[in-house]
Amino acid sequence: MYIQNVGYHDILEGTHRHTEDDILIQILDPYMEFPTPKYKFKEIHQFTFSDVPYGSIDEVPEKYRQMWENRITEKQAHDIVTIIKESHKKGLNIIVQCFAGSCRSGAVVEVAIMCGYTDLKEYRKPNAYVEQMLIFAILEDFNDDAKKRYQTKC
């Protein structure tokens, strides 16, 4: 199973790997419209959050503060991790699209590789904040599973 990061126009023009059983994860800024894919996908999941830099709000220049307010949420991170895990269990490939196809989608690809997906070696420059949030979601899921498994009654 593979995961591929692609850009906005790749989805419109179909310049990506594709089977009809692929899952598409689309990530765009809140003010943007999602492109209609050239090809059919088994499932399409859409998320809106900004490509914000890593760090605290105090480190963000004033002109980027609104972007910071639209950063990935814990729920979105959990939802993306769930899609990755469920798709992996079902043996499905994933295409991840953000605007440029390298930062937000690159972060999702990095985490999916950790979960067992094959790296197609596409150029990416993962957004560190998005990647961190996704890793936290995986760790939280792991901790919840471990708690259930090793819970003892007094």
Side-chain angles (χ1 to χ4, degrees):
M1 294 166 299
Y2 64 82
I3 185 159
Q4 182 180 22
N5 52 296
V6 301
Y8 187 95
H9 292 285
D10 295 318
I11 293 299
L12 283 172
E13 298 164 10
T15 54
H16 54 83
R17 288 196 182 189
H18 182 261
T19 71
E20 287 197 8
D21 284 336
D22 289 351
I23 302 298
L24 175 62
I25 298 174
Q26 294 180 294
I27 305 167
L28 288 176
D29 292 312
Y31 61 86
M32 296 184 75
E33 289 189 31
F34 290 98
T36 301
K38 180 174 182 175
Y39 300 118
K40 183 179 178 188
F41 286 86
K42 183 177 184 84
E43 297 173 15
I44 298 175
H45 302 274
Q46 297 177 329
F47 297 91
T48 56
F49 55 85
S50 296
D51 190 10
V52 298
Y54 180 76
S56 72
I57 187 69
D58 299 329
E59 299 168 359
V60 177
E62 189 65 40
K63 65 181 181 178
Y64 296 117
R65 293 279 168 111
Q66 186 174 357
M67 285 178 61
W68 180 259
E69 293 168 8
N70 293 316
R71 67 194 181 277
I72 187 172
T73 65
E74 287 182 29
K75 180 180 181 338
Q76 289 171 320
H78 281 285
D79 290 348
I80 291 170
V81 166
T82 299
I83 293 164
I84 292 169
K85 288 180 174 182
E86 292 301 315
S87 298
H88 191 267
K89 283 180 193 174
K90 295 174 184 175
L92 302 172
N93 301 315
I94 301 175
I95 306 296
V96 188
Q97 172 249 309
C98 65
F99 186 74
S102 63
C103 298
R104 289 168 286 185
S105 60
V108 174
V109 168
E110 291 289 320
V111 170
I113 291 167
M114 293 178 208
C115 295
Y117 272 90
T118 300
D119 183 0
L120 292 182
K121 308 289 187 200
E122 300 286 341
Y123 171 81
R124 59 185 174 267
K125 185 179 176 184
N127 178 301
Y129 184 76
V130 173
E131 188 172 1
Q132 175 187 313
M133 291 295 288
L134 296 170
I135 290 169
F136 284 169
I138 287 173
L139 292 173
E140 199 169 288
D141 287 351
F142 174 79
N143 287 338
D144 288 345
D145 290 344
K147 286 176 194 170
K148 289 175 191 170
R149 200 171 303 130
Y150 299 110
Q151 201 168 36
T152 57
K153 295 183 179 180
C154 296

